[in-house]
Amino acid sequence: MQGPPRYRAVSSHLRREIAAGRYPAGARLPSEPELARQFKLSRPTVARAFLELQQEGLIERRVGSGTYVRGEAPSVAAASTRQLGLLIPGLGNTEIFESICGELASLARVADYSLLWGGSTDPRQDRDASLGHAKELCEHFIHRKVSGVFFAPYELVPDKESANRGLAEMLREAGIPVVLLDRDLSSFPNRSDFDLVGIDNMAGGYLVAEHLIRLGCHRITFLARAHSAPTVDARIAGAREALVRHRIDTDPGWVKVGDPAELRFLRSITAGKRTDAVICANDHTAAILLRSLEASGLRVPRDIRVVGFDDVKYATLLSVPLTTVHQPCRDIAVIALRTMLERIAQPTVRARQILLTPRLVVRESCGAYLPKA
């Protein structure tokens, strides 16, 4: 399946660098030849990346001089009323959020807002993902009187629901709008009363399960980590619905919660060939599973098929390229900013849940390209 245009690698890189403050307002960007050498692309491809950023209002090109970041640094007074905050646990370690936030930074700039990456303007400094640090960030946002905060609730921690609720309520009580990214505060299928932008995870779960069923799989296992986000429960519900619709009976333990790197846990999935396909909660879990299966002598997809969620960049670089559900990061960013601006303008409207349609990306790990028996 065709990937994103090659120039997008350059434009996304420059957006992140500008948002991180490496190229402040008025700074000169690397030239086309420099970027062409760095990314091993042609100059016309790099020029297309510059054109995209120019159309977004992020940069300006000066004939005979070079390409520069547009605008002037905002004053302290303006910054206090024209800032949006990002509360993203583990930003810098989670690829889809790096991409979403990079897009948000450039889009916010066009809308005349600056974006605070946690307590800093540099996402590389925002490494502490503890709940205590998150509370400090909320206090920082309140002190700065930001106009709104984008929040990706915590997962993989005990008592995450009450902790996430406390952070969001702290901001709301200070009069700061909150837009949730990717996942809700409440456990599935409940919904909180905050705006949410992400993909339709239940539809995504149905999509991958039905794909495997049509490939002939009837012993499907869903693999997740403990304390996963509500999005994972939605994916499980979607996969279960596909199995029911196709009248496939499931083992009572078809949902496995644990670490695929642990040999004993891996055997609970593979022993006795009870499983012919595994749907992983995300691509990171799928990557660990692929490595563990390979170490145990099982071949993917001949012995067992594997699919993931997110379509991270390394999904094509794994030992077996990964079938997965694509996260439309730019679309999520566009809609999230629009939702935030509408929430700022109309703070009393009812909370909205905006879910984008998932898209399956088929690669070798699901066995779709195995020769017919």
Side-chain angles (χ1 to χ4, degrees):
M1 183 170 291
Q2 187 175 6
R6 299 181 71 189
Y7 71 84
R8 283 279 169 82
V10 180
S11 58
S12 296
H13 168 76
L14 291 176
R15 283 192 198 94
R16 288 194 295 270
E17 294 293 279
I18 292 169
R22 178 165 294 181
Y23 298 110
R28 187 177 185 273
L29 295 174
S31 66
E32 285 182 11
E34 290 172 327
L35 290 169
R37 286 193 297 271
Q38 179 181 347
F39 288 89
K40 298 180 180 178
L41 298 172
S42 66
R43 284 190 62 177
T45 300
V46 174
R48 179 66 184 84
F50 276 144
L51 178 61
E52 181 177 70
L53 297 177
Q54 188 174 14
Q55 290 172 340
E56 292 174 2
L58 191 60
I59 65 172
E60 59 181 345
R61 311 198 71 179
R62 302 173 188 170
V63 177
S65 178
T67 305
Y68 296 82
V69 179
R70 289 191 61 185
E72 298 177 354
S75 67
V76 173
S80 66
T81 56
R82 299 292 290 184
Q83 285 184 330
L84 298 170
L86 281 173
L87 185 55
I88 315 291
L91 178 62
N93 300 320
T94 307
E95 185 177 303
I96 66 163
F97 286 123
E98 277 196 333
S99 181
I100 291 170
C101 294
E103 299 285 359
L104 273 173
S106 61
L107 293 166
R109 187 181 181 88
V110 173
D112 199 26
Y113 281 88
S114 60
L115 203 61
L116 278 180
W117 302 71
S120 164
T121 56
D122 186 346
R124 293 165 294 185
Q125 297 177 13
D126 187 28
R127 294 293 185 184
D128 187 349
S130 69
L131 288 169
H133 180 60
K135 185 176 180 181
E136 292 175 3
L137 289 180
C138 288
E139 292 170 349
H140 177 76
F141 292 146
I142 293 168
H143 176 72
R144 295 292 294 265
K145 298 180 181 179
V146 299
S147 300
V149 171
F150 298 102
F151 179 28
Y154 278 80
E155 63 171 344
L156 306 179
V157 295
D159 200 26
K160 62 182 182 299
E161 186 170 343
S162 62
N164 286 324
R165 171 73 62 176
L167 295 170
E169 291 293 351
M170 181 190 300
L171 293 167
R172 178 153 64 184
E173 288 173 6
I176 297 175
V178 174
V179 172
L180 304 178
L181 297 177
D182 179 64
R183 59 188 70 136
D184 205 345
L185 303 171
S186 301
S187 57
F188 179 83
N190 299 314
R191 267 287 289 125
S192 70
D193 54 349
F194 291 91
D195 293 323
L196 167 67
V197 179
I199 68 167
D200 188 337
N201 287 283
M202 189 168 177
Y206 189 98
L207 189 65
V208 292
E210 186 173 60
H211 175 69
L212 290 170
I213 292 166
R214 288 177 174 172
L215 291 175
C217 300
H218 292 82
R219 304 185 306 279
I220 296 174
T221 291
F222 194 104
L223 173 57
R225 301 290 296 274
H227 310 298
S228 291
T231 51
V232 174
D233 290 324
R235 293 166 187 176
I236 293 170
R240 182 185 292 112
E241 180 64 21
L243 293 168
V244 170
R245 291 283 184 95
H246 288 269
R247 299 179 181 177
I248 295 175
D249 294 330
T250 58
D251 184 279
W254 77 284
V255 177
K256 302 288 187 182
V257 178
D259 183 356
E262 295 179 358
L263 181 58
R264 180 178 297 181
F265 179 72
L266 181 68
R267 286 174 177 166
S268 73
I269 298 173
T270 61
K273 296 185 177 179
R274 291 195 296 263
T275 299
D276 55 14
V278 180
I279 301 172
C280 295
N282 52 50
D283 289 350
H284 181 254
T285 301
I288 296 172
L289 178 63
L290 285 173
R291 185 174 59 194
S292 298
L293 291 170
E294 182 178 349
S296 67
L298 289 171
R299 300 168 300 171
V300 176
R302 289 188 178 277
D303 298 324
I304 189 168
R305 305 174 190 227
V306 176
V307 298
F309 268 84
D310 289 342
D311 193 22
V312 296
K313 291 177 183 176
Y314 61 75
T316 60
L317 305 176
L318 297 171
S319 57
V320 182
L322 186 65
T323 293
T324 184
V325 174
H326 178 70
Q327 288 270 15
C329 295
R330 178 169 174 78
D331 293 338
I332 290 173
V334 168
I335 296 171
L337 181 63
R338 184 186 306 156
T339 301
M340 177 64 80
L341 297 180
E342 291 173 356
R343 173 60 57 191
I344 292 170
Q346 298 178 300
T348 60
V349 299
R350 293 177 65 86
R352 291 162 294 176
Q353 178 177 232
I354 304 173
L355 303 180
L356 282 67
T357 302
R359 176 171 63 87
L360 184 68
V361 181
V362 178
R363 301 189 181 102
E364 285 86 342
S365 70
C366 65
Y369 304 121
L370 285 174
K372 300 294 183 180

PDB file of all heavy atoms in Angstrom, residues 6-7 9-10 32-46:
ATOM      1  N   ARG A   6       6.791  11.583  -0.009  1.00  0.00           N
ATOM      2  CA  ARG A   6       8.128  11.642   0.594  1.00  0.00           C
ATOM      3  C   ARG A   6       8.447  13.022   1.151  1.00  0.00           C
ATOM      4  O   ARG A   6       9.206  13.152   2.112  1.00  0.00           O
ATOM      5  CB  ARG A   6       9.164  11.226  -0.447  1.00  0.00           C
ATOM      6  CG  ARG A   6       8.976   9.791  -0.953  1.00  0.00           C
ATOM      7  CD  ARG A   6      10.038   9.417  -1.952  1.00  0.00           C
ATOM      8  NE  ARG A   6      11.336   9.245  -1.314  1.00  0.00           N
ATOM      9  CZ  ARG A   6      12.469   9.085  -1.979  1.00  0.00           C
ATOM     10  NH1 ARG A   6      12.454   9.091  -3.310  1.00  0.00           N
ATOM     11  NH2 ARG A   6      13.615   8.923  -1.343  1.00  0.00           N
ATOM     12  N   TYR A   7       7.870  14.067   0.571  1.00  0.00           N
ATOM     13  CA  TYR A   7       8.164  15.411   1.069  1.00  0.00           C
ATOM     14  C   TYR A   7       7.632  15.639   2.484  1.00  0.00           C
ATOM     15  O   TYR A   7       8.114  16.516   3.206  1.00  0.00           O
ATOM     16  CB  TYR A   7       7.601  16.476   0.127  1.00  0.00           C
ATOM     17  CG  TYR A   7       6.097  16.600   0.120  1.00  0.00           C
ATOM     18  CD1 TYR A   7       5.440  17.366   1.079  1.00  0.00           C
ATOM     19  CD2 TYR A   7       5.329  15.964  -0.851  1.00  0.00           C
ATOM     20  CE1 TYR A   7       4.062  17.495   1.066  1.00  0.00           C
ATOM     21  CE2 TYR A   7       3.962  16.079  -0.861  1.00  0.00           C
ATOM     22  CZ  TYR A   7       3.329  16.839   0.095  1.00  0.00           C
ATOM     23  OH  TYR A   7       1.957  16.958   0.105  1.00  0.00           O
ATOM     24  N   ALA A   9       8.090  13.891   5.054  1.00  0.00           N
ATOM     25  CA  ALA A   9       9.143  13.655   6.060  1.00  0.00           C
ATOM     26  C   ALA A   9       9.869  14.960   6.374  1.00  0.00           C
ATOM     27  O   ALA A   9      10.208  15.246   7.529  1.00  0.00           O
ATOM     28  CB  ALA A   9      10.129  12.608   5.560  1.00  0.00           C
ATOM     29  N   VAL A  10      10.098  15.781   5.340  1.00  0.00           N
ATOM     30  CA  VAL A  10      10.790  17.058   5.531  1.00  0.00           C
ATOM     31  C   VAL A  10       9.881  18.069   6.226  1.00  0.00           C
ATOM     32  O   VAL A  10      10.282  18.725   7.204  1.00  0.00           O
ATOM     33  CB  VAL A  10      11.272  17.608   4.177  1.00  0.00           C
ATOM     34  CG1 VAL A  10      12.002  18.937   4.376  1.00  0.00           C
ATOM     35  CG2 VAL A  10      12.175  16.607   3.479  1.00  0.00           C
ATOM     36  N   GLU A  32      17.503  24.215   0.535  1.00  0.00           N
ATOM     37  CA  GLU A  32      17.021  23.032  -0.186  1.00  0.00           C
ATOM     38  C   GLU A  32      18.132  22.004  -0.401  1.00  0.00           C
ATOM     39  O   GLU A  32      17.922  20.805  -0.147  1.00  0.00           O
ATOM     40  CB  GLU A  32      16.401  23.451  -1.526  1.00  0.00           C
ATOM     41  CG  GLU A  32      15.037  24.088  -1.394  1.00  0.00           C
ATOM     42  CD  GLU A  32      14.450  24.437  -2.761  1.00  0.00           C
ATOM     43  OE1 GLU A  32      15.022  23.993  -3.792  1.00  0.00           O
ATOM     44  OE2 GLU A  32      13.430  25.140  -2.808  1.00  0.00           O
ATOM     45  N   PRO A  33      19.321  22.415  -0.864  1.00  0.00           N
ATOM     46  CA  PRO A  33      20.381  21.412  -1.044  1.00  0.00           C
ATOM     47  C   PRO A  33      20.761  20.708   0.265  1.00  0.00           C
ATOM     48  O   PRO A  33      21.024  19.504   0.268  1.00  0.00           O
ATOM     49  CB  PRO A  33      21.547  22.228  -1.599  1.00  0.00           C
ATOM     50  CG  PRO A  33      20.906  23.407  -2.260  1.00  0.00           C
ATOM     51  CD  PRO A  33      19.721  23.728  -1.410  1.00  0.00           C
ATOM     52  N   GLU A  34      20.811  21.458   1.371  1.00  0.00           N
ATOM     53  CA  GLU A  34      21.163  20.858   2.666  1.00  0.00           C
ATOM     54  C   GLU A  34      20.138  19.806   3.073  1.00  0.00           C
ATOM     55  O   GLU A  34      20.490  18.697   3.513  1.00  0.00           O
ATOM     56  CB  GLU A  34      21.264  21.946   3.737  1.00  0.00           C
ATOM     57  CG  GLU A  34      22.461  22.863   3.584  1.00  0.00           C
ATOM     58  CD  GLU A  34      22.423  24.040   4.531  1.00  0.00           C
ATOM     59  OE1 GLU A  34      21.320  24.535   4.846  1.00  0.00           O
ATOM     60  OE2 GLU A  34      23.498  24.468   4.961  1.00  0.00           O
ATOM     61  N   LEU A  35      18.855  20.133   2.946  1.00  0.00           N
ATOM     62  CA  LEU A  35      17.807  19.199   3.324  1.00  0.00           C
ATOM     63  C   LEU A  35      17.741  18.018   2.361  1.00  0.00           C
ATOM     64  O   LEU A  35      17.446  16.893   2.772  1.00  0.00           O
ATOM     65  CB  LEU A  35      16.459  19.923   3.386  1.00  0.00           C
ATOM     66  CG  LEU A  35      16.307  20.905   4.554  1.00  0.00           C
ATOM     67  CD1 LEU A  35      15.062  21.764   4.377  1.00  0.00           C
ATOM     68  CD2 LEU A  35      16.245  20.160   5.889  1.00  0.00           C
ATOM     69  N   ALA A  36      18.001  18.271   1.096  1.00  0.00           N
ATOM     70  CA  ALA A  36      18.008  17.180   0.111  1.00  0.00           C
ATOM     71  C   ALA A  36      19.077  16.149   0.465  1.00  0.00           C
ATOM     72  O   ALA A  36      18.842  14.938   0.387  1.00  0.00           O
ATOM     73  CB  ALA A  36      18.233  17.734  -1.291  1.00  0.00           C
ATOM     74  N   ARG A  37      20.257  16.633   0.887  1.00  0.00           N
ATOM     75  CA  ARG A  37      21.324  15.709   1.293  1.00  0.00           C
ATOM     76  C   ARG A  37      20.957  14.985   2.583  1.00  0.00           C
ATOM     77  O   ARG A  37      21.183  13.781   2.724  1.00  0.00           O
ATOM     78  CB  ARG A  37      22.638  16.475   1.473  1.00  0.00           C
ATOM     79  CG  ARG A  37      23.299  16.902   0.173  1.00  0.00           C
ATOM     80  CD  ARG A  37      24.720  17.371   0.403  1.00  0.00           C
ATOM     81  NE  ARG A  37      24.778  18.558   1.266  1.00  0.00           N
ATOM     82  CZ  ARG A  37      24.723  19.803   0.827  1.00  0.00           C
ATOM     83  NH1 ARG A  37      24.606  20.037  -0.482  1.00  0.00           N
ATOM     84  NH2 ARG A  37      24.791  20.821   1.661  1.00  0.00           N
ATOM     85  N   GLN A  38      20.382  15.719   3.546  1.00  0.00           N
ATOM     86  CA  GLN A  38      20.039  15.132   4.845  1.00  0.00           C
ATOM     87  C   GLN A  38      19.015  14.010   4.707  1.00  0.00           C
ATOM     88  O   GLN A  38      19.139  12.957   5.338  1.00  0.00           O
ATOM     89  CB  GLN A  38      19.506  16.220   5.778  1.00  0.00           C
ATOM     90  CG  GLN A  38      19.101  15.695   7.155  1.00  0.00           C
ATOM     91  CD  GLN A  38      18.549  16.801   8.041  1.00  0.00           C
ATOM     92  OE1 GLN A  38      18.676  17.990   7.741  1.00  0.00           O
ATOM     93  NE2 GLN A  38      17.930  16.421   9.145  1.00  0.00           N
ATOM     94  N   PHE A  39      17.984  14.231   3.884  1.00  0.00           N
ATOM     95  CA  PHE A  39      16.896  13.260   3.755  1.00  0.00           C
ATOM     96  C   PHE A  39      17.041  12.359   2.529  1.00  0.00           C
ATOM     97  O   PHE A  39      16.177  11.510   2.296  1.00  0.00           O
ATOM     98  CB  PHE A  39      15.545  13.993   3.707  1.00  0.00           C
ATOM     99  CG  PHE A  39      15.129  14.579   5.023  1.00  0.00           C
ATOM    100  CD1 PHE A  39      15.510  15.858   5.388  1.00  0.00           C
ATOM    101  CD2 PHE A  39      14.367  13.834   5.910  1.00  0.00           C
ATOM    102  CE1 PHE A  39      15.135  16.403   6.613  1.00  0.00           C
ATOM    103  CE2 PHE A  39      13.980  14.359   7.129  1.00  0.00           C
ATOM    104  CZ  PHE A  39      14.371  15.652   7.492  1.00  0.00           C
ATOM    105  N   LYS A  40      18.115  12.593   1.751  1.00  0.00           N
ATOM    106  CA  LYS A  40      18.367  11.797   0.551  1.00  0.00           C
ATOM    107  C   LYS A  40      17.188  11.872  -0.413  1.00  0.00           C
ATOM    108  O   LYS A  40      16.664  10.864  -0.900  1.00  0.00           O
ATOM    109  CB  LYS A  40      18.671  10.345   0.920  1.00  0.00           C
ATOM    110  CG  LYS A  40      19.931  10.202   1.765  1.00  0.00           C
ATOM    111  CD  LYS A  40      20.226   8.755   2.116  1.00  0.00           C
ATOM    112  CE  LYS A  40      21.487   8.645   2.955  1.00  0.00           C
ATOM    113  NZ  LYS A  40      21.786   7.244   3.349  1.00  0.00           N
ATOM    114  N   LEU A  41      16.768  13.122  -0.670  1.00  0.00           N
ATOM    115  CA  LEU A  41      15.656  13.394  -1.574  1.00  0.00           C
ATOM    116  C   LEU A  41      16.117  14.364  -2.655  1.00  0.00           C
ATOM    117  O   LEU A  41      17.179  14.990  -2.539  1.00  0.00           O
ATOM    118  CB  LEU A  41      14.469  14.003  -0.800  1.00  0.00           C
ATOM    119  CG  LEU A  41      13.834  13.146   0.292  1.00  0.00           C
ATOM    120  CD1 LEU A  41      12.829  13.970   1.084  1.00  0.00           C
ATOM    121  CD2 LEU A  41      13.147  11.931  -0.310  1.00  0.00           C
ATOM    122  N   SER A  42      15.299  14.521  -3.660  1.00  0.00           N
ATOM    123  CA  SER A  42      15.611  15.494  -4.709  1.00  0.00           C
ATOM    124  C   SER A  42      15.236  16.897  -4.237  1.00  0.00           C
ATOM    125  O   SER A  42      14.405  17.067  -3.326  1.00  0.00           O
ATOM    126  CB  SER A  42      14.843  15.162  -5.983  1.00  0.00           C
ATOM    127  OG  SER A  42      13.445  15.318  -5.771  1.00  0.00           O
ATOM    128  N   ARG A  43      15.836  17.904  -4.857  1.00  0.00           N
ATOM    129  CA  ARG A  43      15.506  19.289  -4.489  1.00  0.00           C
ATOM    130  C   ARG A  43      14.039  19.614  -4.761  1.00  0.00           C
ATOM    131  O   ARG A  43      13.402  20.302  -3.954  1.00  0.00           O
ATOM    132  CB  ARG A  43      16.428  20.262  -5.224  1.00  0.00           C
ATOM    133  CG  ARG A  43      17.829  20.322  -4.629  1.00  0.00           C
ATOM    134  CD  ARG A  43      18.644  21.451  -5.221  1.00  0.00           C
ATOM    135  NE  ARG A  43      18.065  22.765  -4.942  1.00  0.00           N
ATOM    136  CZ  ARG A  43      18.608  23.913  -5.300  1.00  0.00           C
ATOM    137  NH1 ARG A  43      19.765  23.918  -5.963  1.00  0.00           N
ATOM    138  NH2 ARG A  43      18.030  25.058  -5.017  1.00  0.00           N
ATOM    139  N   PRO A  44      13.438  19.167  -5.900  1.00  0.00           N
ATOM    140  CA  PRO A  44      12.009  19.443  -6.091  1.00  0.00           C
ATOM    141  C   PRO A  44      11.128  18.856  -4.979  1.00  0.00           C
ATOM    142  O   PRO A  44      10.109  19.449  -4.611  1.00  0.00           O
ATOM    143  CB  PRO A  44      11.717  18.783  -7.448  1.00  0.00           C
ATOM    144  CG  PRO A  44      13.015  18.805  -8.167  1.00  0.00           C
ATOM    145  CD  PRO A  44      14.048  18.574  -7.113  1.00  0.00           C
ATOM    146  N   THR A  45      11.520  17.700  -4.440  1.00  0.00           N
ATOM    147  CA  THR A  45      10.747  17.113  -3.346  1.00  0.00           C
ATOM    148  C   THR A  45      10.838  17.992  -2.104  1.00  0.00           C
ATOM    149  O   THR A  45       9.834  18.239  -1.422  1.00  0.00           O
ATOM    150  CB  THR A  45      11.259  15.690  -3.029  1.00  0.00           C
ATOM    151  OG1 THR A  45      11.130  14.880  -4.195  1.00  0.00           O
ATOM    152  CG2 THR A  45      10.465  15.068  -1.900  1.00  0.00           C
ATOM    153  N   VAL A  46      12.039  18.489  -1.797  1.00  0.00           N
ATOM    154  CA  VAL A  46      12.212  19.399  -0.654  1.00  0.00           C
ATOM    155  C   VAL A  46      11.443  20.694  -0.894  1.00  0.00           C
ATOM    156  O   VAL A  46      10.814  21.251   0.021  1.00  0.00           O
ATOM    157  CB  VAL A  46      13.701  19.679  -0.418  1.00  0.00           C
ATOM    158  CG1 VAL A  46      13.882  20.737   0.683  1.00  0.00           C
ATOM    159  CG2 VAL A  46      14.428  18.398  -0.035  1.00  0.00           C
TER     160      VAL A  46
END
